Amino acid sequence: MEKLTTDEPSANTSIVPIADRPVVLALIKALPQGTVLLGGDVTGRSAGIWRTDHLKAQVLVRPKTTEEVSLALKICFEHHQSVVPQGGLTGLVEGGLTEPQDIVLSTERMTDIEEVSADERTLTVQAGVVLQTIQETAAQHGLMFPLDLGGRGSCTIGGNLSTNAGGNRVIRYGMARDMVLGLEVVLADGTVISSMNHMIKNNAGYDLKQWFLGTEGTLGIITRAVLRCREEVVDAPTALVAISSFDALIAFLKHADQGLRGHLSAFEVMWHNYYTLVTTPPANSHAPLSSQWPYYVLVEAMGSDENQFSDVLASAIEASLVEDAVLAQSSQQQASLWALRDDVAQTFQFAPVFLFDVSLRLPQMESYVAAVNLALAERFENPRNFVLGHVGDGNIHFAIAVGGDSAEDRAGVEAAVYAPLEALKGSVSAEHGIGLEKKPYLHLVRSEAEINLMRTIKRAMDPRDILNPGKVF
Ligand SMILES: Cc1cc2nc3c(=O)[nH]c(=O)nc-3n(C[C@H](O)[C@H](O)[C@H](O)COP(=O)(O)OP(=O)(O)OC[C@H]3O[C@@H](n4cnc5c(N)ncnc54)[C@H](O)[C@@H]3O)c2cc1C
């Protein structure tokens, strides 16, 4: 792959001890005490959730304000210093991985909730606020922030926005980019772009925030955001249903969406083997529905009333779209159904596990999953492929275990997943992003012209290639 050219040679080849490097000395001098961490305080940190390795970087800067981020980047820019932004490190595509010469810019101390406007239904926050804190703050003010995903307790809004996270309610509320009204970022040279817009409508020229949403920290560091909330939804009827065929599943999605009249807020599918895994010991000793069916769907309808929801389920059973169903009777039962869906970590019983996040058209899903399983069986002795996903959004996740994780195993598993996907013109990343992990496969989804345009944008906005270099392309 072509290497991005920079306007001047990199200074990262220095053999001076890290703490004595001019860039580090300049950062320590310019920033308040306690902002720059070195050595074991950095290398002792985990490289990411679900990872067993540690940070390779030896310097970590943890600013508290946009001004400090700007100052840090200005210094790094002057010294041609690579900077890797990090939020909660729950990303699943190696987007926050570091090399020894990198400096980490962590938003862990940027945790202010600056404003809650109940009338405008907005929250103004710093980038390091944890998603669950945002959800809870919104709820305390009678609002709802619709972004939700399994990593909610650790991931930050800055990470969510820079990966354009999807999650559980995309079918109703869209992805992270649809929940942002204003954004503040710091560019590679330290310039602050503050577009803290509060209006839903604002077509005055380019919508600059889009450059930074989903671009994985390669074009700028997100420091603050104005988030769009909704009025709090009190009722969210939730059910788990069993389905006997993929055709019935597709028909049930349409049936539910039509019948719920705009209230369908989640349509999460668990394939038989994932459902069995999370409902049997050691994961669990209770299965809400018997495990004889090929598909299980968690359906949620925020704002729907119980009667409407029950009617839709009853008519689906009558039309033989649904074989069996359990309707949550309390918020505790709702939470326990969601806990099954979110319990992906159970697949680690079979570690090492390769995780995938692909998207494709709904009618192609059944044959695609069959093609992946066939390709795995041809290559490996006893492969396991746990399948689940936000199927209402065309998004499937695989957790694949083949007994090893050698380079050869990885190549074999990736070929099994991506070769049939390429033929169907699906995407190698539905919601997690590209990072380093999916980088070799970006060309399956994006044309050469598209990737070249991405490079042109990167060069224009980060001419010294200091922001998360080497990630995405
Ligand atoms: C249990 C679990 C469930 C998940 N479920 C979902 C899901 O349903 N849907 C989904 O989309 N994702 C999901 N994810 C992955 C998802 O990408 C992350 O959870 C989250 O969005 C990343 O936030 P973070 O703060 O942890 O970012 P990090 O992991 O720290 O960083 C992610 C990327 O963003 C960059 N970055 C971080 N902060 C900033 C910033 N302030 N400015 C610029 N760049 C920045 C990093 O350099 C990196 O490239 C899940 C992860 C886990 C562990």
Side-chain angles (χ1 to χ4, degrees), residues 49-50 84-97 105 107 127-128 148-152 154-168 175 212 215-218 220-223 341-342 344 357 390 395 397 430-433 435 468 471:
I49 201 164
W50 294 346
V84 177
Q86 291 184 350
L89 280 181
T90 66
L92 298 175
V93 292
E94 303 180 345
L97 278 203
L105 193 142
T107 57
D148 189 44
L149 47 97
R152 63 183 77 76
S154 306
C155 64
T156 63
I157 192 68
N160 300 148
L161 299 181
S162 64
T163 56
N164 185 29
N168 300 332
M175 297 187 64
F212 308 98
T215 50
E216 303 180 51
T218 58
I221 308 251
I222 296 172
T223 50
R341 159 60 184 85
D342 282 347
V344 179
D357 157 44
H390 315 289
N395 182 185
H397 296 308
E431 56 179 8
H432 293 165
N468 223 359
K471 308 287 167 49

Short mmCIF file of all heavy atoms in Angstrom, two decimals, residues 49-50 84-97 105 107 127-128 148-152 154-168 175 212 215-218 220-223 341-342 344 357 390 395 397 430-433 435 468 471, ligand 1:
data_model
loop_
_atom_site.label_atom_id
_atom_site.label_comp_id
_atom_site.label_asym_id
_atom_site.label_seq_id
_atom_site.Cartn_x
_atom_site.Cartn_y
_atom_site.Cartn_z
N ILE A 49 -9.53 -2.86 25.85
CA ILE A 49 -10.44 -3.83 26.44
C ILE A 49 -10.30 -5.14 25.66
O ILE A 49 -10.06 -5.11 24.45
CB ILE A 49 -11.89 -3.28 26.39
CG1 ILE A 49 -12.76 -3.96 27.41
CG2 ILE A 49 -12.50 -3.40 25.00
CD1 ILE A 49 -14.07 -3.24 27.68
N TRP A 50 -10.36 -6.23 26.36
CA TRP A 50 -10.28 -7.55 25.74
C TRP A 50 -8.91 -7.83 25.11
O TRP A 50 -8.76 -8.75 24.33
CB TRP A 50 -11.39 -7.76 24.68
CG TRP A 50 -12.76 -7.79 25.26
CD1 TRP A 50 -13.11 -7.91 26.56
CD2 TRP A 50 -14.00 -7.67 24.55
NE1 TRP A 50 -14.47 -7.89 26.71
CE2 TRP A 50 -15.05 -7.73 25.48
CE3 TRP A 50 -14.33 -7.51 23.20
CZ2 TRP A 50 -16.39 -7.65 25.14
CZ3 TRP A 50 -15.66 -7.44 22.85
CH2 TRP A 50 -16.69 -7.50 23.81
N VAL A 84 -1.46 9.52 19.15
CA VAL A 84 -2.57 8.56 19.06
C VAL A 84 -3.65 8.96 20.06
O VAL A 84 -3.42 8.90 21.27
CB VAL A 84 -2.09 7.12 19.34
CG1 VAL A 84 -3.26 6.14 19.32
CG2 VAL A 84 -1.03 6.71 18.33
N PRO A 85 -4.82 9.40 19.59
CA PRO A 85 -5.89 9.74 20.53
C PRO A 85 -6.48 8.47 21.16
O PRO A 85 -6.62 7.46 20.49
CB PRO A 85 -6.97 10.40 19.65
CG PRO A 85 -6.41 10.47 18.26
CD PRO A 85 -5.22 9.59 18.19
N GLN A 86 -6.78 8.56 22.43
CA GLN A 86 -7.44 7.44 23.11
C GLN A 86 -8.56 7.94 24.00
O GLN A 86 -8.42 8.94 24.70
CB GLN A 86 -6.43 6.66 23.98
CG GLN A 86 -5.41 5.89 23.15
CD GLN A 86 -4.48 5.04 24.00
OE1 GLN A 86 -4.46 5.14 25.23
NE2 GLN A 86 -3.70 4.18 23.35
N GLY A 87 -9.68 7.21 23.96
CA GLY A 87 -10.79 7.48 24.87
C GLY A 87 -10.86 6.34 25.87
O GLY A 87 -9.93 6.15 26.67
N GLY A 88 -11.92 5.55 25.81
CA GLY A 88 -12.09 4.45 26.77
C GLY A 88 -11.38 3.17 26.35
O GLY A 88 -11.45 2.16 27.07
N LEU A 89 -10.77 3.16 25.18
CA LEU A 89 -10.05 1.99 24.65
C LEU A 89 -10.94 0.75 24.52
O LEU A 89 -10.49 -0.37 24.76
CB LEU A 89 -8.81 1.69 25.49
CG LEU A 89 -7.60 2.57 25.17
CD1 LEU A 89 -6.40 2.18 26.03
CD2 LEU A 89 -7.20 2.47 23.70
N THR A 90 -12.19 0.97 24.20
CA THR A 90 -13.08 -0.18 23.94
C THR A 90 -13.20 -0.48 22.44
O THR A 90 -13.90 -1.40 22.06
CB THR A 90 -14.50 0.07 24.49
OG1 THR A 90 -15.09 1.14 23.74
CG2 THR A 90 -14.50 0.42 25.96
N GLY A 91 -12.54 0.32 21.63
CA GLY A 91 -12.58 0.11 20.18
C GLY A 91 -12.10 -1.29 19.84
O GLY A 91 -11.23 -1.84 20.52
N LEU A 92 -12.66 -1.86 18.78
CA LEU A 92 -12.40 -3.27 18.48
C LEU A 92 -11.62 -3.48 17.19
O LEU A 92 -11.60 -4.59 16.67
CB LEU A 92 -13.74 -4.03 18.44
CG LEU A 92 -14.52 -4.03 19.76
CD1 LEU A 92 -15.89 -4.71 19.60
CD2 LEU A 92 -13.73 -4.72 20.87
N VAL A 93 -11.00 -2.41 16.65
CA VAL A 93 -10.28 -2.58 15.38
C VAL A 93 -8.83 -2.07 15.45
O VAL A 93 -8.24 -1.73 14.44
CB VAL A 93 -11.03 -1.89 14.22
CG1 VAL A 93 -12.33 -2.58 13.93
CG2 VAL A 93 -11.24 -0.40 14.49
N GLU A 94 -8.28 -2.00 16.65
CA GLU A 94 -6.89 -1.56 16.85
C GLU A 94 -6.67 -0.11 16.42
O GLU A 94 -5.57 0.26 16.01
CB GLU A 94 -5.93 -2.49 16.09
CG GLU A 94 -6.07 -3.94 16.52
CD GLU A 94 -5.12 -4.89 15.80
OE1 GLU A 94 -4.54 -4.49 14.78
OE2 GLU A 94 -4.97 -6.03 16.26
N GLY A 95 -7.70 0.70 16.56
CA GLY A 95 -7.57 2.11 16.18
C GLY A 95 -6.76 2.91 17.18
O GLY A 95 -6.20 3.95 16.85
N GLY A 96 -6.68 2.44 18.44
CA GLY A 96 -5.95 3.17 19.47
C GLY A 96 -4.60 2.55 19.78
O GLY A 96 -3.94 2.93 20.75
N LEU A 97 -4.18 1.56 18.98
CA LEU A 97 -2.88 0.91 19.26
C LEU A 97 -1.73 1.90 19.05
O LEU A 97 -1.81 2.80 18.21
CB LEU A 97 -2.68 -0.29 18.33
CG LEU A 97 -3.35 -1.60 18.72
CD1 LEU A 97 -2.62 -2.77 18.06
CD2 LEU A 97 -3.42 -1.81 20.22
N LEU A 105 -2.61 10.77 23.34
CA LEU A 105 -3.39 11.88 23.88
C LEU A 105 -4.69 11.28 24.40
O LEU A 105 -5.54 10.85 23.62
CB LEU A 105 -3.66 12.95 22.83
CG LEU A 105 -4.18 14.23 23.48
CD1 LEU A 105 -3.62 15.47 22.81
CD2 LEU A 105 -5.70 14.26 23.51
N THR A 107 -8.24 11.38 26.58
CA THR A 107 -9.26 12.35 27.02
C THR A 107 -9.80 12.00 28.41
O THR A 107 -10.83 12.49 28.82
CB THR A 107 -10.43 12.37 26.01
OG1 THR A 107 -10.95 11.04 25.91
CG2 THR A 107 -10.00 12.89 24.66
N ALA A 127 -15.10 15.58 25.55
CA ALA A 127 -14.97 14.32 24.79
C ALA A 127 -14.75 13.08 25.65
O ALA A 127 -15.05 11.97 25.22
CB ALA A 127 -13.83 14.45 23.80
N GLY A 128 -14.24 13.27 26.87
CA GLY A 128 -13.92 12.09 27.67
C GLY A 128 -15.06 11.58 28.54
O GLY A 128 -14.87 10.64 29.32
N ASP A 148 -26.55 3.63 22.25
CA ASP A 148 -26.37 2.60 23.27
C ASP A 148 -25.60 1.43 22.70
O ASP A 148 -25.89 0.98 21.58
CB ASP A 148 -27.73 2.12 23.80
CG ASP A 148 -27.55 1.21 25.00
OD1 ASP A 148 -26.73 1.54 25.87
OD2 ASP A 148 -28.20 0.16 25.04
N LEU A 149 -24.64 0.95 23.45
CA LEU A 149 -23.88 -0.22 23.01
C LEU A 149 -23.27 -0.92 24.22
O LEU A 149 -23.21 -0.34 25.31
CB LEU A 149 -22.80 0.18 21.99
CG LEU A 149 -21.91 1.38 22.28
CD1 LEU A 149 -20.60 0.94 22.88
CD2 LEU A 149 -21.66 2.13 20.99
N GLY A 150 -22.83 -2.15 24.01
CA GLY A 150 -22.37 -2.99 25.11
C GLY A 150 -21.23 -2.38 25.91
O GLY A 150 -21.09 -2.64 27.10
N GLY A 151 -20.41 -1.54 25.27
CA GLY A 151 -19.27 -0.94 25.97
C GLY A 151 -19.62 0.34 26.69
O GLY A 151 -18.73 1.10 27.09
N ARG A 152 -20.92 0.59 26.92
CA ARG A 152 -21.39 1.89 27.43
C ARG A 152 -20.71 2.33 28.73
O ARG A 152 -20.54 3.51 28.97
CB ARG A 152 -22.92 1.87 27.63
CG ARG A 152 -23.42 0.88 28.67
CD ARG A 152 -24.94 0.85 28.76
NE ARG A 152 -25.55 0.12 27.67
CZ ARG A 152 -25.58 -1.22 27.56
NH1 ARG A 152 -25.00 -1.97 28.48
NH2 ARG A 152 -26.17 -1.81 26.55
N SER A 154 -17.66 2.01 29.67
CA SER A 154 -16.24 2.40 29.55
C SER A 154 -15.98 3.33 28.37
O SER A 154 -15.05 4.13 28.43
CB SER A 154 -15.37 1.15 29.33
OG SER A 154 -15.59 0.20 30.32
N CYS A 155 -16.75 3.21 27.30
CA CYS A 155 -16.42 4.01 26.11
C CYS A 155 -16.76 5.48 26.34
O CYS A 155 -17.65 5.81 27.13
CB CYS A 155 -17.13 3.47 24.87
SG CYS A 155 -18.92 3.55 24.92
N THR A 156 -16.05 6.36 25.64
CA THR A 156 -16.28 7.80 25.79
C THR A 156 -17.01 8.33 24.56
O THR A 156 -16.95 7.74 23.48
CB THR A 156 -14.93 8.54 25.87
OG1 THR A 156 -14.24 8.34 24.62
CG2 THR A 156 -14.08 8.02 27.02
N ILE A 157 -17.63 9.49 24.74
CA ILE A 157 -18.36 10.06 23.62
C ILE A 157 -17.39 10.44 22.49
O ILE A 157 -17.72 10.30 21.31
CB ILE A 157 -19.25 11.25 24.06
CG1 ILE A 157 -20.22 11.64 22.94
CG2 ILE A 157 -18.43 12.44 24.52
CD1 ILE A 157 -21.28 10.62 22.64
N GLY A 158 -16.17 10.86 22.86
CA GLY A 158 -15.18 11.19 21.82
C GLY A 158 -14.87 9.96 20.97
O GLY A 158 -14.77 10.05 19.74
N GLY A 159 -14.71 8.81 21.63
CA GLY A 159 -14.47 7.56 20.89
C GLY A 159 -15.69 7.16 20.08
O GLY A 159 -15.58 6.72 18.93
N ASN A 160 -16.88 7.32 20.66
CA ASN A 160 -18.11 6.99 19.93
C ASN A 160 -18.23 7.82 18.65
O ASN A 160 -18.59 7.30 17.60
CB ASN A 160 -19.36 7.27 20.77
CG ASN A 160 -19.44 6.49 22.07
OD1 ASN A 160 -19.97 6.97 23.06
ND2 ASN A 160 -18.88 5.28 22.09
N LEU A 161 -17.92 9.11 18.78
CA LEU A 161 -18.09 9.98 17.62
C LEU A 161 -17.00 9.75 16.58
O LEU A 161 -17.25 9.75 15.38
CB LEU A 161 -18.11 11.46 18.05
CG LEU A 161 -19.25 11.85 19.00
CD1 LEU A 161 -19.19 13.33 19.34
CD2 LEU A 161 -20.61 11.50 18.40
N SER A 162 -15.78 9.51 17.07
CA SER A 162 -14.70 9.35 16.09
C SER A 162 -14.78 7.99 15.39
O SER A 162 -14.18 7.81 14.34
CB SER A 162 -13.34 9.55 16.74
OG SER A 162 -13.14 8.55 17.69
N THR A 163 -15.54 7.04 15.97
CA THR A 163 -15.77 5.79 15.24
C THR A 163 -17.17 5.76 14.61
O THR A 163 -17.55 4.76 14.01
CB THR A 163 -15.64 4.56 16.17
OG1 THR A 163 -16.56 4.71 17.27
CG2 THR A 163 -14.23 4.40 16.72
N ASN A 164 -17.94 6.83 14.78
CA ASN A 164 -19.34 6.84 14.35
C ASN A 164 -20.03 5.55 14.81
O ASN A 164 -20.58 4.79 14.00
CB ASN A 164 -19.45 6.98 12.82
CG ASN A 164 -20.89 7.12 12.36
OD1 ASN A 164 -21.75 7.62 13.09
ND2 ASN A 164 -21.19 6.66 11.15
N ALA A 165 -20.00 5.32 16.11
CA ALA A 165 -20.54 4.07 16.66
C ALA A 165 -22.01 3.89 16.29
O ALA A 165 -22.75 4.86 16.09
CB ALA A 165 -20.37 4.08 18.17
N GLY A 166 -22.39 2.64 16.20
CA GLY A 166 -23.78 2.31 15.84
C GLY A 166 -24.52 1.84 17.08
O GLY A 166 -25.04 2.62 17.84
N GLY A 167 -24.53 0.53 17.28
CA GLY A 167 -25.12 0.00 18.50
C GLY A 167 -26.55 -0.46 18.31
O GLY A 167 -26.98 -0.82 17.21
N ASN A 168 -27.28 -0.39 19.43
CA ASN A 168 -28.55 -1.13 19.53
C ASN A 168 -29.77 -0.41 18.96
O ASN A 168 -30.80 -1.03 18.76
CB ASN A 168 -28.81 -1.43 21.01
CG ASN A 168 -27.70 -2.27 21.61
OD1 ASN A 168 -27.05 -3.03 20.91
ND2 ASN A 168 -27.47 -2.12 22.91
N MET A 175 -26.99 6.45 13.54
CA MET A 175 -25.70 6.19 14.17
C MET A 175 -25.23 7.44 14.93
O MET A 175 -25.91 8.46 14.94
CB MET A 175 -24.70 5.74 13.11
CG MET A 175 -25.19 4.42 12.51
SD MET A 175 -24.12 3.56 11.38
CE MET A 175 -22.71 3.09 12.32
N PHE A 212 -14.83 14.78 10.99
CA PHE A 212 -14.23 14.19 12.20
C PHE A 212 -15.07 13.05 12.77
O PHE A 212 -14.61 12.34 13.66
CB PHE A 212 -14.03 15.30 13.25
CG PHE A 212 -13.28 16.46 12.66
CD1 PHE A 212 -13.96 17.59 12.21
CD2 PHE A 212 -11.91 16.40 12.49
CE1 PHE A 212 -13.28 18.65 11.62
CE2 PHE A 212 -11.21 17.45 11.89
CZ PHE A 212 -11.91 18.57 11.46
N THR A 215 -13.87 9.27 11.46
CA THR A 215 -12.55 9.27 10.83
C THR A 215 -11.44 8.84 11.80
O THR A 215 -10.25 9.02 11.54
CB THR A 215 -12.23 10.63 10.17
OG1 THR A 215 -12.48 11.69 11.11
CG2 THR A 215 -13.09 10.86 8.95
N GLU A 216 -11.84 8.29 12.93
CA GLU A 216 -10.95 7.53 13.83
C GLU A 216 -9.70 8.31 14.27
O GLU A 216 -8.60 7.76 14.34
CB GLU A 216 -10.57 6.20 13.17
CG GLU A 216 -11.79 5.36 12.82
CD GLU A 216 -11.45 4.02 12.17
OE1 GLU A 216 -10.63 3.29 12.74
OE2 GLU A 216 -12.02 3.72 11.11
N GLY A 217 -9.89 9.60 14.53
CA GLY A 217 -8.80 10.39 15.07
C GLY A 217 -7.68 10.67 14.08
O GLY A 217 -6.59 11.07 14.48
N THR A 218 -7.93 10.49 12.79
CA THR A 218 -6.88 10.72 11.80
C THR A 218 -6.88 12.15 11.26
O THR A 218 -5.94 12.57 10.61
CB THR A 218 -7.01 9.75 10.59
OG1 THR A 218 -8.30 9.94 10.01
CG2 THR A 218 -6.83 8.31 11.02
N GLY A 220 -8.35 14.97 13.28
CA GLY A 220 -8.42 15.96 14.35
C GLY A 220 -8.82 15.26 15.64
O GLY A 220 -9.27 14.12 15.63
N ILE A 221 -8.60 15.97 16.75
CA ILE A 221 -8.98 15.41 18.06
C ILE A 221 -10.28 16.07 18.49
O ILE A 221 -10.35 17.31 18.58
CB ILE A 221 -7.90 15.69 19.12
CG1 ILE A 221 -6.54 15.24 18.59
CG2 ILE A 221 -8.28 15.07 20.45
CD1 ILE A 221 -5.92 14.06 19.19
N ILE A 222 -11.29 15.28 18.74
CA ILE A 222 -12.57 15.81 19.21
C ILE A 222 -12.41 16.19 20.68
O ILE A 222 -11.93 15.37 21.49
CB ILE A 222 -13.68 14.76 19.05
CG1 ILE A 222 -13.89 14.45 17.56
CG2 ILE A 222 -14.98 15.23 19.71
CD1 ILE A 222 -14.81 13.29 17.27
N THR A 223 -12.80 17.43 21.02
CA THR A 223 -12.64 17.86 22.41
C THR A 223 -13.98 18.11 23.12
O THR A 223 -14.10 17.92 24.32
CB THR A 223 -11.80 19.16 22.48
OG1 THR A 223 -12.33 20.10 21.55
CG2 THR A 223 -10.34 18.87 22.16
N ARG A 341 -28.11 -10.63 24.99
CA ARG A 341 -27.62 -10.09 23.71
C ARG A 341 -26.20 -9.50 23.85
O ARG A 341 -25.37 -9.61 22.96
CB ARG A 341 -28.62 -9.04 23.19
CG ARG A 341 -28.08 -8.03 22.19
CD ARG A 341 -27.56 -8.69 20.92
NE ARG A 341 -26.95 -7.73 20.00
CZ ARG A 341 -25.69 -7.32 20.08
NH1 ARG A 341 -24.88 -7.74 21.03
NH2 ARG A 341 -25.21 -6.49 19.16
N ASP A 342 -25.97 -8.86 25.00
CA ASP A 342 -24.69 -8.15 25.19
C ASP A 342 -23.55 -9.05 25.67
O ASP A 342 -22.42 -8.59 25.81
CB ASP A 342 -24.86 -7.03 26.23
CG ASP A 342 -25.54 -5.80 25.63
OD1 ASP A 342 -25.65 -5.73 24.39
OD2 ASP A 342 -25.97 -4.92 26.41
N VAL A 344 -21.34 -10.97 24.73
CA VAL A 344 -20.40 -11.46 23.71
C VAL A 344 -19.15 -12.08 24.35
O VAL A 344 -18.55 -13.00 23.80
CB VAL A 344 -20.00 -10.30 22.77
CG1 VAL A 344 -19.01 -10.76 21.71
CG2 VAL A 344 -21.23 -9.71 22.11
N ASP A 357 -17.32 -7.61 12.10
CA ASP A 357 -18.43 -6.64 12.12
C ASP A 357 -18.72 -6.27 10.66
O ASP A 357 -18.14 -5.33 10.14
CB ASP A 357 -17.96 -5.43 12.94
CG ASP A 357 -18.71 -4.15 12.63
OD1 ASP A 357 -19.93 -4.20 12.53
OD2 ASP A 357 -18.05 -3.09 12.50
N HIS A 390 -26.97 -6.66 14.77
CA HIS A 390 -28.02 -5.64 14.66
C HIS A 390 -28.64 -5.85 13.27
O HIS A 390 -28.45 -5.03 12.35
CB HIS A 390 -27.40 -4.25 14.77
CG HIS A 390 -26.40 -4.10 15.89
ND1 HIS A 390 -26.77 -4.09 17.22
CD2 HIS A 390 -25.05 -3.93 15.89
CE1 HIS A 390 -25.68 -3.92 17.97
NE2 HIS A 390 -24.63 -3.83 17.19
N ASN A 395 -26.46 -5.54 9.82
CA ASN A 395 -25.16 -5.69 10.48
C ASN A 395 -25.07 -7.03 11.21
O ASN A 395 -25.90 -7.34 12.05
CB ASN A 395 -25.02 -4.53 11.47
CG ASN A 395 -23.69 -4.47 12.22
OD1 ASN A 395 -23.55 -3.63 13.09
ND2 ASN A 395 -22.74 -5.31 11.91
N HIS A 397 -22.38 -9.65 13.43
CA HIS A 397 -21.09 -9.87 14.09
C HIS A 397 -20.80 -11.37 14.13
O HIS A 397 -21.70 -12.17 14.40
CB HIS A 397 -21.13 -9.36 15.54
CG HIS A 397 -21.32 -7.88 15.64
ND1 HIS A 397 -20.54 -6.97 14.97
CD2 HIS A 397 -22.20 -7.14 16.36
CE1 HIS A 397 -20.93 -5.75 15.27
NE2 HIS A 397 -21.94 -5.81 16.10
N ALA A 430 -19.21 -2.53 9.52
CA ALA A 430 -20.53 -1.91 9.63
C ALA A 430 -20.49 -0.74 10.59
O ALA A 430 -21.07 0.31 10.33
CB ALA A 430 -21.55 -2.94 10.11
N GLU A 431 -19.76 -0.91 11.73
CA GLU A 431 -19.83 0.13 12.75
C GLU A 431 -18.54 0.30 13.56
O GLU A 431 -18.37 1.32 14.22
CB GLU A 431 -21.01 -0.13 13.70
CG GLU A 431 -20.97 -1.50 14.36
CD GLU A 431 -22.11 -1.75 15.32
OE1 GLU A 431 -23.04 -0.94 15.37
OE2 GLU A 431 -22.07 -2.79 16.02
N HIS A 432 -17.65 -0.65 13.55
CA HIS A 432 -16.46 -0.54 14.42
C HIS A 432 -15.36 0.33 13.83
O HIS A 432 -14.46 0.76 14.54
CB HIS A 432 -15.89 -1.92 14.74
CG HIS A 432 -16.79 -2.75 15.59
ND1 HIS A 432 -16.64 -4.11 15.77
CD2 HIS A 432 -17.90 -2.42 16.30
CE1 HIS A 432 -17.59 -4.57 16.57
NE2 HIS A 432 -18.38 -3.56 16.89
N GLY A 433 -15.38 0.55 12.52
CA GLY A 433 -14.33 1.32 11.87
C GLY A 433 -13.28 0.40 11.26
O GLY A 433 -13.46 -0.83 11.19
N GLY A 435 -9.45 1.14 11.67
CA GLY A 435 -8.26 1.04 12.53
C GLY A 435 -7.08 0.44 11.78
O GLY A 435 -6.83 0.75 10.61
N ASN A 468 -2.77 9.87 14.53
CA ASN A 468 -3.06 8.44 14.38
C ASN A 468 -2.49 7.89 13.07
O ASN A 468 -3.22 7.28 12.27
CB ASN A 468 -4.58 8.20 14.47
CG ASN A 468 -4.89 6.99 15.33
OD1 ASN A 468 -3.97 6.32 15.84
ND2 ASN A 468 -6.16 6.69 15.49
N LYS A 471 -3.29 4.50 10.54
CA LYS A 471 -4.60 3.90 10.77
C LYS A 471 -5.51 4.17 9.55
O LYS A 471 -5.32 5.16 8.85
CB LYS A 471 -5.25 4.47 12.03
CG LYS A 471 -4.37 4.42 13.28
CD LYS A 471 -4.21 3.02 13.85
CE LYS A 471 -3.12 2.89 14.89
NZ LYS A 471 -3.06 3.84 15.96
C1 LIG B 1 -18.64 -4.77 24.79
C2 LIG B 1 -18.49 -3.88 23.59
C3 LIG B 1 -19.58 -3.66 22.79
C4 LIG B 1 -19.48 -2.82 21.68
N1 LIG B 1 -20.57 -2.64 20.92
C5 LIG B 1 -20.52 -1.79 19.88
C6 LIG B 1 -21.68 -1.55 19.11
O1 LIG B 1 -22.75 -2.12 19.34
N2 LIG B 1 -21.59 -0.67 18.11
C7 LIG B 1 -20.41 -0.02 17.81
O2 LIG B 1 -20.38 0.79 16.87
N3 LIG B 1 -19.29 -0.27 18.49
C8 LIG B 1 -19.31 -1.13 19.51
N4 LIG B 1 -18.17 -1.37 20.22
C9 LIG B 1 -16.91 -0.76 19.76
C10 LIG B 1 -16.92 0.76 19.78
O3 LIG B 1 -16.14 1.29 18.72
C11 LIG B 1 -16.46 1.39 21.03
O4 LIG B 1 -17.05 0.76 22.13
C12 LIG B 1 -16.59 2.91 21.19
O5 LIG B 1 -17.32 3.60 20.23
C13 LIG B 1 -15.19 3.48 21.22
O6 LIG B 1 -15.11 4.44 22.25
P1 LIG B 1 -13.79 4.57 23.14
O7 LIG B 1 -13.94 5.79 23.95
O8 LIG B 1 -13.52 3.32 23.86
O9 LIG B 1 -12.70 4.82 22.00
P2 LIG B 1 -11.23 4.23 21.88
O10 LIG B 1 -11.28 2.76 21.79
O11 LIG B 1 -10.36 4.82 22.89
O12 LIG B 1 -10.83 4.83 20.44
C14 LIG B 1 -11.49 4.41 19.29
C15 LIG B 1 -10.95 5.21 18.10
O13 LIG B 1 -11.30 6.57 18.24
C16 LIG B 1 -10.14 7.41 18.33
N5 LIG B 1 -10.46 8.41 19.35
C17 LIG B 1 -10.82 8.21 20.64
N6 LIG B 1 -11.13 9.37 21.22
C18 LIG B 1 -10.97 10.34 20.29
C19 LIG B 1 -11.14 11.75 20.28
N7 LIG B 1 -11.55 12.42 21.36
N8 LIG B 1 -10.87 12.42 19.13
C20 LIG B 1 -10.45 11.78 18.02
N9 LIG B 1 -10.29 10.44 17.98
C21 LIG B 1 -10.54 9.74 19.09
C22 LIG B 1 -9.01 6.47 18.68
O14 LIG B 1 -7.77 6.94 18.19
C23 LIG B 1 -9.44 5.19 17.99
O15 LIG B 1 -9.08 5.24 16.64
C24 LIG B 1 -18.23 -2.21 21.35
C25 LIG B 1 -17.13 -2.44 22.15
C26 LIG B 1 -17.25 -3.27 23.27
C27 LIG B 1 -16.05 -3.51 24.11
#
